[in-house]
Amino acid sequence: DGGITQSPKYLFRKEGQNVTLSCEQNLNHDAMYWYRQDPGQGLRLIYYSQIVNDFQKGDIAEGYSVSREKKESFPLTVTSAQKNPTAFYLCASTPLAGGSYNEQFFGPGTRLTVL
Amino acid sequence: GQNIDQPTEMTATEGAIVQINCTYQTSGFNGLFWYQQHAGEAPTFLSYNVLDGLEEKGRFSSFLSRSKGYSYLLLKELQMKDSASYLCAVRPPFAGNNRKLIWGLGTSLAVNP
């Protein structure tokens, strides 16, 4: 079955530690996105990538970093510089061409809690 | 600027009809999406409108008026499982490889027995 996987589902970290969230897709989608969602809030874009080895900052990139070494994978690192990292993190992907609506497909999310 | 407005919360009764509105002011327009998100889960795609008019898909319908910058999602024969947040998102015109969406804050719908 094609889809997007994110791991882990729940993640706890101590203040001052970096942590990497995994996102893998086997949909052969070109573009991938990372969003952050806080309680009662919409989706805020952290980073996105349209092609391997290239990515752009979204609206709230400070304190985060990404890589896109493979088409299938787009890991997000939450660094110690991120002042308020506790949130629900969602990864999404979309084809750049050929899809019916080119809607974004989402992974199940990772809930990060900083202790 | 880019802005999408949706009501924060709505309440409806099982079996009834509810309309969730979305107004947008964006620099250009190339489609509008509606997503459903249950608490603690990922958003799932519901509908897409790019031309004016009504798109019907089972119990859910979505309407678009581009001249008014307005869309609504209509949910009929409400069920308890329809209790969720409904997100409206606008796709700006393609600029190079830019495929970002502009998201509203979502409308939390509670369906009561």
Side-chain angles (χ1 to χ4, degrees), chain A residues 37 40-44, chain B residues 3-7 22-24 33 37 85-90 101-107:
Chain A
Q37 189 173 39
Q41 297 292 312
L43 302 179
R44 292 189 290 169
Chain B
N3 192 52
I4 296 180
D5 289 314
Q6 304 178 234
C22 171
T23 58
Y24 61 90
F33 296 88
Q37 185 179 24
S85 185
Y86 292 86
L87 307 175
C88 173
V90 169
L101 297 180
I102 304 165
W103 293 87
L105 297 182
T107 298

Side-chain angles (χ1 to χ4, degrees), chain A residues 9 33 35 37 41-43 45 48 50 88 90 96 101-104 106-107, chain B residues 33 35 37 40-43 45 48 87 91 97-101 103-105:
Chain A
K9 179 73 172 172
Y33 309 80
Y35 292 97
Q37 189 173 39
Q41 297 292 312
L43 302 179
L45 183 64
Y48 65 103
Q50 314 278 13
F88 187 46
L90 286 159
L96 288 182
Y101 306 127
N102 289 348
E103 72 270 28
Q104 292 188 6
F106 286 84
Chain B
F33 296 88
Y35 281 80
Q37 185 179 24
E41 298 182 8
F45 169 74
Y48 173 73
L87 307 175
R91 179 163 61 196
N97 285 323
N98 185 350
R99 296 292 189 269
K100 294 191 297 182
L101 297 180
W103 293 87
L105 297 182

Side-chain angles (χ1 to χ4, degrees), chain A residues 20-79:
Chain A
T20 297
L21 282 59
S22 165
C23 177
E24 304 278 331
Q25 54 97 2
N26 60 4
L27 300 167
N28 199 33
H29 286 173
D30 302 285
M32 298 185 74
Y33 309 80
W34 273 106
Y35 292 97
R36 168 183 174 138
Q37 189 173 39
D38 294 285
Q41 297 292 312
L43 302 179
R44 292 189 290 169
L45 183 64
I46 304 172
Y47 268 98
Y48 65 103
S49 168
Q50 314 278 13
I51 194 171
V52 173
N53 292 325
D54 187 47
F55 47 82
Q56 286 79 40
K57 292 181 179 180
D59 301 317
I60 56 165
E62 185 175 350
Y64 300 97
S65 65
V66 293
S67 63
R68 187 86 186 275
E69 298 177 2
K70 298 186 299 182
K71 187 175 184 179
E72 304 79 22
S73 178
F74 191 41
L76 173 74
T77 296
V78 184
T79 75

